[in-house]
Amino acid sequence: MVAVDYLLAGMISVLTGLDRVALVQIMISRPLVAGPLTGWALGNPLVGLEIGMLLELLWLGRLPVGAAIPPDDTQVAVGATVLAAGTGHFVGLDGMPLVLLSVLIAIPLGKFGQVFDKLARHVNDRLAISGYNALMSGNTAKMERCHLLGLVSFGLASLATALVIVLVGTFILFSFAPVLIGAIQEAGLSLQYSLILVGAAVLLGTTNVNRGISLFCTAFIGTLLVLWLR
Amino acid sequence: MKIMHRPKLNWLTFLRMYLRSFLLQSSWNFEKLQNLGFYFMILPGLRDIYGEEVPEDVRERHMDYFNTHPYFATLVAGTTLRLEAGSRIGEEPSVDAETYKSMVMAPFAAMGDALFWGGVRPLAALIGLLIASQGSLWAPIVFLLIFNLPHLFFRGSGLMLGYLQELHAIETVQKCRLPDLAIRLKESTTILVGVLCAYLSFKGCEHQELPAVWGFVILPIVLLFAWLAHKGVSSLFLVLLTTSSLLLLALLF
């Protein structure tokens, strides 16, 4: 990976991070999109897609309501893709084991995203006061500037989260890959499917639907029977 | 100062407000949440109504605490501007713009959260995941299309609806029965979760060269994890639990 690739990944980190709350919200921030997008920038969109699949459902049920800040799955997807597509081959790994290891390292580091996001919103508290004062004194242009400056704090928070995941993640990857890789290769596909199943279970548990369990069980049993008997 | 005719907003103003609605939450803050963003969004409309110098009392009332679902904000903005235009010619509606905003923001927020965050988004993600499980890079594109067609339509139509129908827009929204639609979408999502889990169980059995009937073992495990998630156990803990169990099994056997 060359410097331009890292720069591109950084830009995607900021762009997708802004999409979470501050800008547009067309959902390019979802891991299913952010992963392949980062992978595409680094020349390997399929790695990003695999990472996006593993992460998509994990926090999908956590709604960004009011002042609640869900874990930053966007930067987890971006960071894990950078680790898998850019850094992993330095430790002699590739394929699904590297994808799994990158995701497992990036998930806990996503907690930093909540800290940086909270910080950005506190910075915005000050911007909101400045904007209010400017507007009340008749300076509408300054109010608009204060509002748009909020994008900078959210963008920086996203970039900082991605940087922590990539830097700390690289260190962990180099330190623990030799120890863990054997077991991860053994667990392989089971681990990959299990992570998606955990996400599905979490979504099922956090979606409040009457008859939800009956609907889920019927769909599960019906589909498995069709696949088994066809 | 009152005027004789209701000021009209032109299409360029609506376009500006529509585009500005994408920046509603740029300065989201803990104190007054979306207040600055809401004023930023309706500013082109206020300028059409009051001219370049928006009166101080109007500025003051639109800088108050505001928080609703970002996709419903255009609907609130449309009605608010219509009420402002009415007050400019001396109309006295049953509720003023400030009361209207504080009255609808919470119900619209709840409606939007249930419909978009709880309904459309998980359904689109599940469809995307089912496509991605075939290794297709169309998955993110399909996901974005399914989510954004209703999203972008809702933002635009909300703005027009709010402006054209004023307070009657609330009745129109009620007639759309959006909470019922949200429930139907959640039910569809639950069915797709079942399909996805069954498909992954089947593929897992194939990979391990086990008969597909073993796939049924996954069902109680997923239900147990769903129950744990429902009880508030974090996703991170469940991931760590699953990973460590599988790695231990891989090392032992």
Side-chain angles (χ1 to χ4, degrees), chain A residues 14 27 43-44 53 57 63 75 77-79 100 125 128 134 144 160 168 172 180 197 215 228-229:
Chain A
V14 172
M27 296 300 123
N44 199 344
M53 275 177 70
L57 297 179
L63 308 184
Q75 299 312 321
V78 171
L100 287 169
D125 282 343
E144 289 183 289
V168 179
I172 297 173
L180 288 172
L197 286 171
L215 287 172
W228 181 26
L229 300 173

Side-chain angles (χ1 to χ4, degrees), chain A residues 30 43 53 78 88 90-91 106 108 112 119 126 144 147 156 161 177 210 226:
Chain A
R30 294 307 309 158
M53 275 177 70
V78 171
F90 290 120
V91 283
F112 283 99
L119 208 63
R126 273 179 255 161
E144 289 183 289
H147 175 61
L156 286 176
T161 310
N210 285 336
V226 169

Side-chain angles (χ1 to χ4, degrees), chain A residues 24-25 125 132 135 144 147, chain B residues 22-23 27 30 59-60 71:
Chain A
V24 188
Q25 289 195 297
D125 282 343
Y132 175 83
L135 188 69
E144 289 183 289
H147 175 61
Chain B
F22 293 109
L23 290 153
S27 62
F30 287 114
R59 280 181 267 158
E60 179 85 51
Y71 304 169

Side-chain angles (χ1 to χ4, degrees), chain B residues 156-185:
Chain B
S157 59
L159 185 61
M160 297 311 295
L161 183 77
Y163 187 74
L164 295 174
Q165 296 197 354
E166 203 183 88
L167 296 171
H168 296 293
I170 298 174
E171 289 165 33
T172 308
V173 172
Q174 276 175 336
K175 279 182 195 157
C176 291
R177 301 166 71 95
L178 296 178
D180 290 344
L181 177 63
I183 291 170
R184 296 288 99 78
L185 290 173

Side-chain angles (χ1 to χ4, degrees), chain B residues 146-160:
Chain B
I146 295 174
F147 182 83
N148 284 308
L149 287 177
H151 157 214
L152 298 174
F153 171 76
F154 201 88
R155 276 197 200 241
S157 59
L159 185 61
M160 297 311 295

